[in-house]
Amino acid sequence: MKYYSLNKKAPAVTFDEAVIRGIAPDKGLYFPESIPKLPVSFWENIEHLSKDEIAYTAMKPFVGDTIDDDSLTEIIADVLSFEFPLVELEKNVATLELFHGPTMAFKDVGARFMARCLGYFLEKNKQQEEVTVLVATSGDTGGAVARGFYKVPGIKVVILYPSGKVSEVQEKQLTTLGENITALEVDGNFDDCQAMVKRAFLDEAITNKRQLTSANSINIARWLPQSLYYLFAFKKLKEQGKSDNLVFSVPSGNFGNICAGMVAHLMGMPVKQFVAAVNSNTTIPRFMESGKYRPAPTVATISNAMDVSDPSNFIRVLQLFENDKNLLSEKFTSFSYCDAQTRGAMRHIYSNLEYTADPHGAVGYLGLKDYLKNEPDAYGVFLETAHPVKFLPAVEPVVGKITDLPKQIAVLMDAKKESINANSYADLKNYLLRS
Ligand SMILES: *Cc1c(COP(=O)(O)O)cnc(C)c1O
């Protein structure tokens, strides 16, 4: 499998090169030359396969022979060493819990997979030069990437995060590890952080000195393994005879997760519809309505990991559907919800369904319920993308004080925060040139 640049002005490359580079030399996102169709026998037998077997079959065509089979098997077993429960909450509505990994957000899978692939390639190439993973985070990416790459030899991680716009738990996750992880605290929002990162990748003064790569969902090794969540859900629903007319509602920010779900669909998984549920950052629902792509200034919300107004991966969503909005709208719908609606949903889910949703999952629930209104025969799954304790200020007013923190989180609360202020691009550049 080769990957080409969506800007079409750079050569196609193999999986390893695309992972190491992150972004193509012409600044385009890498995209697979084709989406492999998995064999009919795979879909017929999926309920008898383990999650590692499913993952191996789905990832192998993307990886090709850049990773030997035994190593790929090992990487997958290591990356997927926790559960992905599907919990039915009401008739025809289930939630897929993606928060059982080390940082309790779904990004753990992509970040761990990328870290292990990159570590493997650097070792295989006997590379001497250190690689710097430079990443902007709206909240959960930073923690997942920090944990995924923690102490991986040959890799330094620099994370930019918007000061005061991530939750306390999220901030602890990215500022307390130390070692090869550095957090830069930016006086701005996520889009400002992302703009600084993009500029650094174009800055030859920096790239001549350091080998940079990204660990945002634009990196194919973070993006593609997210398709596994959908396969795991499909397997469980097929076991229960509930996999017909399947609808996935995905709380979306940068649109990497939902785009990976659509990849799983194009690999042969039958899905009726994907619903992209967003908060008050409404660029995509407005685009689906008007055909005009007009990012507005980013709005801060209680589902802060989705506070993105110019989602990087939407170009990939369009590419999967031949850049044809009409074709896309047959499989893809997008709805937006304000914070008051999100709080209302959290309350409803807690009081009536006896389940604690985090604000992102609650947005996903709202999107699913709106879509299902006209589709009584569909079965809907909304993705719970983070554990509710990651968002205590939004969750506690609904469910009361949470004292029983999961152990992954409890150990962080007393750890000391260490960050470096970066209030302008010059600060970032200085840091990258001097450190
Ligand atoms: C990152 C994140 C999202 C958004 O995912 P995208 O792939 O960027 O659309 C949603 N919820 C949580 C909790 C996240 O951390």
Side-chain angles (χ1 to χ4, degrees), residues 2-3 20 23 51 91 102 115 129 137 150 152 180 196 249 258 261 285 307 315 326 329 373 376 393 397:
K2 288 228 166 168
Y3 296 82
I20 293 168
I23 194 160
K51 68 182 188 318
K91 187 169 175 289
E129 191 195 347
T137 183
Y150 185 55
V152 175
N180 60 332
M196 283 164 74
S249 176
I258 195 166
D307 292 351
I315 186 171
N326 293 329
S329 61
K373 270 182 202 154

mmCIF file of all heavy atoms in Angstrom, residues 2-3 20 23 51 91 102 115 129 137 150 152 180 196 249 258 261 285 307 315 326 329 373 376 393 397:
data_model
loop_
_atom_site.group_PDB
_atom_site.id
_atom_site.type_symbol
_atom_site.label_atom_id
_atom_site.label_comp_id
_atom_site.label_asym_id
_atom_site.label_seq_id
_atom_site.Cartn_x
_atom_site.Cartn_y
_atom_site.Cartn_z
ATOM 1 N N LYS A 2 0.559 2.165 -0.902
ATOM 2 C CA LYS A 2 1.261 3.452 -0.901
ATOM 3 C C LYS A 2 0.311 4.555 -0.458
ATOM 4 O O LYS A 2 -0.912 4.406 -0.509
ATOM 5 C CB LYS A 2 1.792 3.739 -2.297
ATOM 6 C CG LYS A 2 2.961 2.843 -2.661
ATOM 7 C CD LYS A 2 4.063 3.697 -3.220
ATOM 8 C CE LYS A 2 5.366 2.925 -3.292
ATOM 9 N NZ LYS A 2 6.342 3.657 -4.102
ATOM 10 N N TYR A 3 0.913 5.638 -0.017
ATOM 11 C CA TYR A 3 0.165 6.807 0.455
ATOM 12 C C TYR A 3 0.567 8.007 -0.389
ATOM 13 O O TYR A 3 1.759 8.241 -0.598
ATOM 14 C CB TYR A 3 0.479 7.062 1.942
ATOM 15 C CG TYR A 3 -0.002 5.909 2.791
ATOM 16 C CD1 TYR A 3 0.775 4.759 2.927
ATOM 17 C CD2 TYR A 3 -1.262 5.929 3.374
ATOM 18 C CE1 TYR A 3 0.316 3.667 3.655
ATOM 19 C CE2 TYR A 3 -1.725 4.844 4.103
ATOM 20 C CZ TYR A 3 -0.932 3.715 4.236
ATOM 21 O OH TYR A 3 -1.392 2.632 4.937
ATOM 22 N N ILE A 20 6.835 8.382 9.526
ATOM 23 C CA ILE A 20 7.977 9.163 9.990
ATOM 24 C C ILE A 20 7.806 10.637 9.626
ATOM 25 O O ILE A 20 8.070 11.526 10.419
ATOM 26 C CB ILE A 20 9.299 8.591 9.413
ATOM 27 C CG1 ILE A 20 9.554 7.202 10.008
ATOM 28 C CG2 ILE A 20 10.475 9.522 9.708
ATOM 29 C CD1 ILE A 20 10.646 6.406 9.327
ATOM 30 N N ILE A 23 3.522 14.523 7.694
ATOM 31 C CA ILE A 23 2.841 15.274 6.645
ATOM 32 C C ILE A 23 3.759 15.258 5.418
ATOM 33 O O ILE A 23 4.974 15.170 5.560
ATOM 34 C CB ILE A 23 2.515 16.695 7.154
ATOM 35 C CG1 ILE A 23 1.526 17.403 6.249
ATOM 36 C CG2 ILE A 23 3.754 17.540 7.384
ATOM 37 C CD1 ILE A 23 0.818 18.566 6.946
ATOM 38 N N LYS A 51 -10.186 -9.701 19.241
ATOM 39 C CA LYS A 51 -9.949 -8.328 18.804
ATOM 40 C C LYS A 51 -8.558 -8.185 18.188
ATOM 41 O O LYS A 51 -8.385 -7.430 17.226
ATOM 42 C CB LYS A 51 -10.239 -7.297 19.905
ATOM 43 C CG LYS A 51 -9.351 -7.248 21.107
ATOM 44 C CD LYS A 51 -9.912 -6.169 22.043
ATOM 45 C CE LYS A 51 -9.060 -5.798 23.246
ATOM 46 N NZ LYS A 51 -8.384 -6.838 24.007
ATOM 47 N N LYS A 91 -33.569 0.842 24.307
ATOM 48 C CA LYS A 91 -33.847 0.030 23.126
ATOM 49 C C LYS A 91 -33.141 0.643 21.901
ATOM 50 O O LYS A 91 -33.294 1.824 21.622
ATOM 51 C CB LYS A 91 -35.365 -0.017 22.895
ATOM 52 C CG LYS A 91 -35.764 -0.967 21.789
ATOM 53 C CD LYS A 91 -37.280 -1.198 21.764
ATOM 54 C CE LYS A 91 -37.689 -2.056 20.587
ATOM 55 N NZ LYS A 91 -37.591 -1.378 19.292
ATOM 56 N N PRO A 102 -4.856 3.899 29.193
ATOM 57 C CA PRO A 102 -4.097 4.579 30.254
ATOM 58 C C PRO A 102 -4.479 6.042 30.486
ATOM 59 O O PRO A 102 -4.387 6.511 31.614
ATOM 60 C CB PRO A 102 -2.638 4.466 29.794
ATOM 61 C CG PRO A 102 -2.650 3.899 28.433
ATOM 62 C CD PRO A 102 -3.971 3.273 28.198
ATOM 63 N N ALA A 115 3.221 5.425 18.387
ATOM 64 C CA ALA A 115 4.484 5.413 19.136
ATOM 65 C C ALA A 115 5.245 4.116 18.880
ATOM 66 O O ALA A 115 6.456 4.127 18.641
ATOM 67 C CB ALA A 115 4.214 5.581 20.628
ATOM 68 N N GLU A 129 19.792 10.130 14.613
ATOM 69 C CA GLU A 129 19.243 11.448 14.931
ATOM 70 C C GLU A 129 17.941 11.313 15.722
ATOM 71 O O GLU A 129 17.091 10.484 15.405
ATOM 72 C CB GLU A 129 18.973 12.192 13.615
ATOM 73 C CG GLU A 129 18.666 13.652 13.792
ATOM 74 C CD GLU A 129 18.063 14.264 12.524
ATOM 75 O OE1 GLU A 129 18.123 13.622 11.456
ATOM 76 O OE2 GLU A 129 17.513 15.369 12.614
ATOM 77 N N THR A 137 -2.628 20.201 21.120
ATOM 78 C CA THR A 137 -3.732 19.447 21.712
ATOM 79 C C THR A 137 -4.865 20.367 22.159
ATOM 80 O O THR A 137 -4.628 21.461 22.670
ATOM 81 C CB THR A 137 -3.254 18.601 22.907
ATOM 82 O OG1 THR A 137 -4.360 17.831 23.391
ATOM 83 C CG2 THR A 137 -2.721 19.442 24.057
ATOM 84 N N TYR A 150 6.102 8.044 26.054
ATOM 85 C CA TYR A 150 6.904 8.194 27.261
ATOM 86 C C TYR A 150 8.058 7.193 27.258
ATOM 87 O O TYR A 150 7.839 5.989 27.131
ATOM 88 C CB TYR A 150 5.981 7.966 28.465
ATOM 89 C CG TYR A 150 6.604 8.186 29.831
ATOM 90 C CD1 TYR A 150 7.217 9.377 30.157
ATOM 91 C CD2 TYR A 150 6.532 7.183 30.789
ATOM 92 C CE1 TYR A 150 7.754 9.570 31.424
ATOM 93 C CE2 TYR A 150 7.055 7.370 32.059
ATOM 94 C CZ TYR A 150 7.669 8.566 32.371
ATOM 95 O OH TYR A 150 8.197 8.768 33.610
ATOM 96 N N VAL A 152 10.095 6.379 25.019
ATOM 97 C CA VAL A 152 10.456 5.659 23.786
ATOM 98 C C VAL A 152 11.809 6.212 23.324
ATOM 99 O O VAL A 152 11.949 7.413 23.113
ATOM 100 C CB VAL A 152 9.393 5.828 22.673
ATOM 101 C CG1 VAL A 152 9.863 5.172 21.371
ATOM 102 C CG2 VAL A 152 8.061 5.235 23.107
ATOM 103 N N ASN A 180 11.214 12.501 28.469
ATOM 104 C CA ASN A 180 11.293 12.996 27.090
ATOM 105 C C ASN A 180 10.055 13.796 26.664
ATOM 106 O O ASN A 180 9.841 14.029 25.482
ATOM 107 C CB ASN A 180 11.503 11.816 26.121
ATOM 108 C CG ASN A 180 10.370 10.799 26.193
ATOM 109 O OD1 ASN A 180 9.717 10.653 27.223
ATOM 110 N ND2 ASN A 180 10.111 10.105 25.096
ATOM 111 N N MET A 196 0.620 27.343 15.181
ATOM 112 C CA MET A 196 2.053 27.412 15.524
ATOM 113 C C MET A 196 2.767 26.135 15.097
ATOM 114 O O MET A 196 3.875 26.170 14.557
ATOM 115 C CB MET A 196 2.221 27.640 17.038
ATOM 116 C CG MET A 196 1.952 29.093 17.453
ATOM 117 S SD MET A 196 1.681 29.297 19.251
ATOM 118 C CE MET A 196 3.337 29.110 19.905
ATOM 119 N N SER A 249 -22.846 7.367 15.928
ATOM 120 C CA SER A 249 -22.782 8.799 16.189
ATOM 121 C C SER A 249 -21.473 9.093 16.896
ATOM 122 O O SER A 249 -21.175 8.522 17.952
ATOM 123 C CB SER A 249 -23.965 9.249 17.041
ATOM 124 O OG SER A 249 -23.821 10.620 17.345
ATOM 125 N N ILE A 258 -14.198 9.815 13.210
ATOM 126 C CA ILE A 258 -15.322 9.458 12.333
ATOM 127 C C ILE A 258 -14.816 9.070 10.940
ATOM 128 O O ILE A 258 -15.343 8.143 10.303
ATOM 129 C CB ILE A 258 -16.371 10.599 12.260
ATOM 130 C CG1 ILE A 258 -17.670 10.073 11.654
ATOM 131 C CG2 ILE A 258 -15.860 11.812 11.491
ATOM 132 C CD1 ILE A 258 -18.863 11.008 11.854
ATOM 133 N N GLY A 261 -13.860 5.589 10.986
ATOM 134 C CA GLY A 261 -15.057 4.751 10.939
ATOM 135 C C GLY A 261 -15.535 4.568 9.512
ATOM 136 O O GLY A 261 -15.946 3.474 9.107
ATOM 137 N N PRO A 285 -21.562 21.045 10.085
ATOM 138 C CA PRO A 285 -23.000 21.063 9.781
ATOM 139 C C PRO A 285 -23.392 22.215 8.849
ATOM 140 O O PRO A 285 -24.237 22.032 7.968
ATOM 141 C CB PRO A 285 -23.671 21.220 11.152
ATOM 142 C CG PRO A 285 -22.597 21.239 12.181
ATOM 143 C CD PRO A 285 -21.297 20.923 11.530
ATOM 144 N N ASP A 307 -13.351 21.497 20.484
ATOM 145 C CA ASP A 307 -13.375 22.926 20.159
ATOM 146 C C ASP A 307 -12.437 23.192 18.986
ATOM 147 O O ASP A 307 -11.321 23.694 19.147
ATOM 148 C CB ASP A 307 -12.970 23.763 21.383
ATOM 149 C CG ASP A 307 -14.005 23.688 22.493
ATOM 150 O OD1 ASP A 307 -15.090 23.139 22.249
ATOM 151 O OD2 ASP A 307 -13.723 24.189 23.602
ATOM 152 N N ILE A 315 -10.895 17.004 5.096
ATOM 153 C CA ILE A 315 -10.443 16.825 3.710
ATOM 154 C C ILE A 315 -10.349 15.324 3.369
ATOM 155 O O ILE A 315 -10.603 14.906 2.244
ATOM 156 C CB ILE A 315 -9.098 17.562 3.492
ATOM 157 C CG1 ILE A 315 -8.670 17.511 2.037
ATOM 158 C CG2 ILE A 315 -8.005 17.058 4.399
ATOM 159 C CD1 ILE A 315 -7.463 18.407 1.743
ATOM 160 N N ASN A 326 -22.796 15.331 -2.366
ATOM 161 C CA ASN A 326 -24.054 14.583 -2.435
ATOM 162 C C ASN A 326 -23.846 13.114 -2.083
ATOM 163 O O ASN A 326 -24.644 12.513 -1.360
ATOM 164 C CB ASN A 326 -24.681 14.702 -3.822
ATOM 165 C CG ASN A 326 -25.135 16.125 -4.075
ATOM 166 O OD1 ASN A 326 -25.510 16.838 -3.140
ATOM 167 N ND2 ASN A 326 -25.058 16.555 -5.322
ATOM 168 N N SER A 329 -23.350 12.855 1.602
ATOM 169 C CA SER A 329 -24.533 13.047 2.454
ATOM 170 C C SER A 329 -25.429 11.801 2.490
ATOM 171 O O SER A 329 -26.289 11.695 3.354
ATOM 172 C CB SER A 329 -25.315 14.292 2.038
ATOM 173 O OG SER A 329 -25.744 14.139 0.722
ATOM 174 N N LYS A 373 -34.780 9.614 15.290
ATOM 175 C CA LYS A 373 -36.191 10.035 15.273
ATOM 176 C C LYS A 373 -36.917 9.569 14.014
ATOM 177 O O LYS A 373 -38.078 9.179 14.062
ATOM 178 C CB LYS A 373 -36.267 11.573 15.325
ATOM 179 C CG LYS A 373 -36.337 12.121 16.726
ATOM 180 C CD LYS A 373 -36.448 13.643 16.700
ATOM 181 C CE LYS A 373 -35.983 14.197 18.032
ATOM 182 N NZ LYS A 373 -35.486 15.574 17.895
ATOM 183 N N PRO A 376 -36.780 4.446 12.863
ATOM 184 C CA PRO A 376 -37.117 3.570 13.983
ATOM 185 C C PRO A 376 -36.482 2.172 13.885
ATOM 186 O O PRO A 376 -36.334 1.506 14.905
ATOM 187 C CB PRO A 376 -38.648 3.471 13.906
ATOM 188 C CG PRO A 376 -39.011 3.916 12.526
ATOM 189 C CD PRO A 376 -37.939 4.860 12.073
ATOM 190 N N PRO A 393 -15.539 19.409 36.206
ATOM 191 C CA PRO A 393 -16.337 20.634 36.367
ATOM 192 C C PRO A 393 -17.666 20.583 35.613
ATOM 193 O O PRO A 393 -18.644 21.222 36.028
ATOM 194 C CB PRO A 393 -15.431 21.733 35.791
ATOM 195 C CG PRO A 393 -14.048 21.174 35.863
ATOM 196 C CD PRO A 393 -14.193 19.690 35.678
ATOM 197 N N PRO A 397 -21.687 18.811 38.579
ATOM 198 C CA PRO A 397 -22.991 19.448 38.820
ATOM 199 C C PRO A 397 -24.172 18.544 38.440
ATOM 200 O O PRO A 397 -25.275 18.726 38.941
ATOM 201 C CB PRO A 397 -22.950 20.689 37.920
ATOM 202 C CG PRO A 397 -21.502 20.958 37.696
ATOM 203 C CD PRO A 397 -20.825 19.621 37.714
#
